[in-house]
Amino acid sequence: MSLDCVLLGLLSRPSSGYDLKQWFSRAFHHFWAAEPSQIYRTLGRLEDHGLASVEETPSLKGPPRRVYRRTKAGRAALRAWLRDGPSMSDTRQSQLAQVLFLAELPKDAQRRFLRALLREYEARLEDLLAVAAEVEHHADPARAPSEDEFFRRLTLDAGIQQYQSWIDWIDRAIQHHAAWSATEDEPTRSAQGRD
């Protein structure tokens, strides 16, 4: 997936770099992460290639806001990316790599890690539920959602279900770990002199 194309999709509505970063941190963290420096660098590249235009608007505090808009060429590039079909990639779940090696730690540290992971998933789910509540709050109940609203909700729903699934998994893992570690009196095998 290309950050260029993700930003072109978001620029269906004029947005500042800050607005875009808010979308990434609140609504998209379940499938895409982007640092502010990446966002601003990519916006500059989109502008250089004529895929986005920028306009400075007054700001209530600080310097003027730079508001980006997708150009016709930008919309065509986004549509070409979508027409190419699903862009599948292997996502990195570094927390799972950490779980894989938890036997390197004492049991109390294993428990702390698993509980911290649960809190992280719960916080991310809470963020997505808050965004979903905002979307529902601004929806007009007298009309069906637009295509844009429908697919934004669909993406949010995927994230909500994904994090709920992770929470269910880590809840079970914590219970199994508690039952397993209660039967173990000795340090974990890997901690017994592997180094």
Side-chain angles (χ1 to χ4, degrees):
M1 190 184 294
S2 165
L3 179 57
D4 299 52
C5 293
V6 173
L7 290 177
L8 287 173
L10 288 173
L11 289 176
S12 62
R13 297 177 181 157
S15 303
S16 68
Y18 177 80
D19 297 331
L20 295 168
K21 177 55 187 159
Q22 290 300 104
W23 270 106
F24 277 96
S25 62
R26 296 192 65 224
F28 296 163
H29 57 72
H30 63 286
F31 68 93
W32 190 271
E35 295 300 319
S37 59
Q38 292 174 292
I39 292 171
Y40 287 107
R41 192 168 48 246
T42 305
L43 287 170
R45 186 170 55 247
L46 293 175
E47 184 185 2
D48 291 345
H49 289 99
L51 302 176
S53 62
V54 65
E55 177 184 340
E56 289 196 351
T57 61
S59 173
L60 296 176
K61 40 186 168 176
R65 282 176 32 133
R66 291 176 55 85
V67 177
Y68 294 84
R69 287 177 170 73
R70 184 175 65 197
T71 63
K72 286 183 181 180
R75 186 175 192 200
L78 174 66
R79 288 181 168 189
W81 177 62
L82 295 171
R83 284 191 185 108
D84 283 344
S87 177
M88 304 297 288
S89 68
D90 296 324
T91 59
R92 291 189 181 120
Q93 298 281 345
S94 57
Q95 72 275 16
L96 289 183
Q98 290 175 296
V99 169
L100 179 63
F101 302 118
L102 278 181
E104 296 289 334
L105 297 177
K107 288 187 183 64
D108 61 332
Q110 295 169 1
R111 279 190 291 278
R112 282 195 304 274
F113 181 95
L114 294 173
R115 289 182 186 136
L117 187 54
L118 172 61
R119 288 191 301 274
E120 184 66 35
Y121 287 141
E122 288 173 336
R124 288 173 178 237
L125 175 61
E126 190 176 315
D127 284 346
L128 285 183
L129 290 172
V131 172
E134 286 176 27
V135 168
E136 288 303 315
H137 176 73
H138 294 296
D140 181 354
R143 66 167 181 78
S146 68
E147 279 185 294
D148 184 52
E149 291 168 336
F150 175 80
F151 287 111
R152 284 180 190 257
R153 289 179 185 178
L154 201 60
T155 306
L156 277 171
D157 188 50
I160 288 167
Q161 290 188 35
Q162 176 185 348
Y163 282 125
Q164 188 58 63
S165 175
W166 283 115
I167 288 168
D168 294 344
W169 166 75
I170 198 65
D171 268 336
R172 286 191 307 274
I174 289 169
Q175 292 170 18
H176 292 309
H177 184 268
W180 167 77
S181 61
T183 63
E184 290 275 318
D185 297 322
E186 300 175 30
T188 59
R189 286 176 298 168
S190 61
Q192 294 178 351
R194 221 190 236 176
D195 294 327

